[in-house]
Amino acid sequence: MTERVYDWPDHYGDFQWFIEDRFGLFIHWGLYALPARHEWVMTKEKIHPEQYKKYMDRFNPDLFNAREWAVNAKKAGMKYAVLTTKHHEGFAMWDSDATDYKVTNSPYGKDIVREFADAFRAEGIKIGFYHSLIDWHHPEFTIDGLHSLRENEEEKAKKREFDQYVQYLHQQVHELLTSYGKIDYLWFDFSYPDRDWDWSKGKGAKDWKAEELEALILKLQPHIILNNRLDLNRGVYTPEQYQPKRSIKKDGLDIVWEACQTLNGSWGYDRDELHWKSPEMVIKMLIDTVSKNGNLLLNIGPTARGEWDLKSMEIMERISEWMKYHESSIYGAGESEFPSPPDCRLTQKDQTIYLHIFSWPFRTIHLSELAGKIEYVQFLHDHSEVKFYEYMESDIHHHNVPVVEDGEVVLEIPVIKPDVLVPVIEIKLK
Ligand code: FHN
């Protein structure tokens, strides 16, 4: 299989572990779990920071058990985990020296980032921090069209020193990268330089002093990888809430990318948001992503008591079952050099092709360009052999024998679909 060449910044950490791991857990957790109406509730409902603080006074996730989360994530086959250290609401989920608006000043009183990092690291899961560039709580973060105070003329009339906020932003990133050990992945969110509301503009790299911030990060943790939302046009490309049509390339080079997806329609816990994806759909999204040389970062929004809701748990259970038998078609795999049959996805790892069958066909699957190249074929879940043939032994094409075109291989599959959400056939090449 031809070696891939990636467009990756030389001064960033090595991304090899990332494209090996393929599957990560995204956790969106903050004060917004209490209103339980989406993580943008503060701005959707234009809540003044002073009013919003009532949630800090009530934040006490008494059922939170970081080790339980880590064990569940490991069982589902997730190799890295990204936790919101601060979302746009501005609330620090760690014991920050830079603010009183932090979890250690809530009734919960403990450092959640510390508990998360320790528990997930103990399970061998790599650590990622999500950190919001946007901050609707900080008094010097200038009010713009996304801000919860965007219609508050009195607040908009007050002068704000954005540079003071940027200093605070850099200070908190410094805290996060010097207090919790080795951090593998830093996930900023998000720049919006092209937005324009006439009375205010969006914010991008220049506003965040992103070059300076990036230099600080790599000085503190030189091995770290970053996503591309600092508006520096480099790092992990992070499409969300859709599946790219094909693998992502730029000037002929492969791009390191990660599809970021929710289980329902919200990142943060949203009690009444019921557009849950089926376990089968989620597993197909994971397979689809890897077949296009990407990673899947799959999100859970824990409740204000610190638990994963039942629906999320159910989906994670089914993912765990599937990954138990099929993880080898995901880890270290990527886009295949061969064309996929209809209603299937191929992943490939060196001399092994994994055929993921999205809709179960009757009796045969025709593989192109593989005649003479296959050594052995089996189902991945039970290692039962799959018979195949490449040409007709006799010249007579009997009416009940499939026509095999030049270069094709035909797999003979059972009429009954195996009892797994997405069956996978492992094809060993010569
Ligand atoms: O505004 C955020 C949103 O709340 C969520 O955190 C997602 C996750 O990728 N990022 C932003 C929207 O693109």
Side-chain angles (χ1 to χ4, degrees), residues 26 28 39-40 87-88 130 187 189-190 229 240 260 267:
F26 212 171
H28 273 70
E39 75 284 354
W40 274 52
H87 205 265
H88 311 335
Y130 166 111
W187 215 99
D189 199 22
F190 60 89
R229 298 194 181 185
E240 64 177 70
C260 315
W267 299 94

Side-chain angles (χ1 to χ4, degrees), residues 346-376:
L346 294 186
T347 64
Q348 184 171 349
K349 191 166 25 187
D350 305 324
Q351 290 302 95
T352 305
I353 299 172
Y354 299 94
L355 171 65
H356 303 79
I357 304 160
F358 278 22
S359 65
W360 192 252
F362 173 59
R363 234 192 94 190
T364 60
I365 294 178
H366 290 235
L367 299 171
S368 316
E369 302 174 20
L370 278 164
K373 296 175 184 170
I374 294 177
E375 184 178 282
Y376 190 74

Side-chain angles (χ1 to χ4, degrees), residues 56 64 77 79 98 106 114 116 146 199 204 232 256 264 270 272 295 303 323 339 347 364 395 423 426-427:
M56 174 172 148
F64 174 46
K79 295 282 190 179
S106 75
R114 166 85 56 211
F116 162 83
L146 296 182
W199 60 275
L232 293 174
V256 180
N264 61 357
D270 184 340
D272 305 333
N295 284 27
T303 71
M323 282 295 278
T347 64
T364 60
D395 295 338
E426 180 184 66
I427 300 164

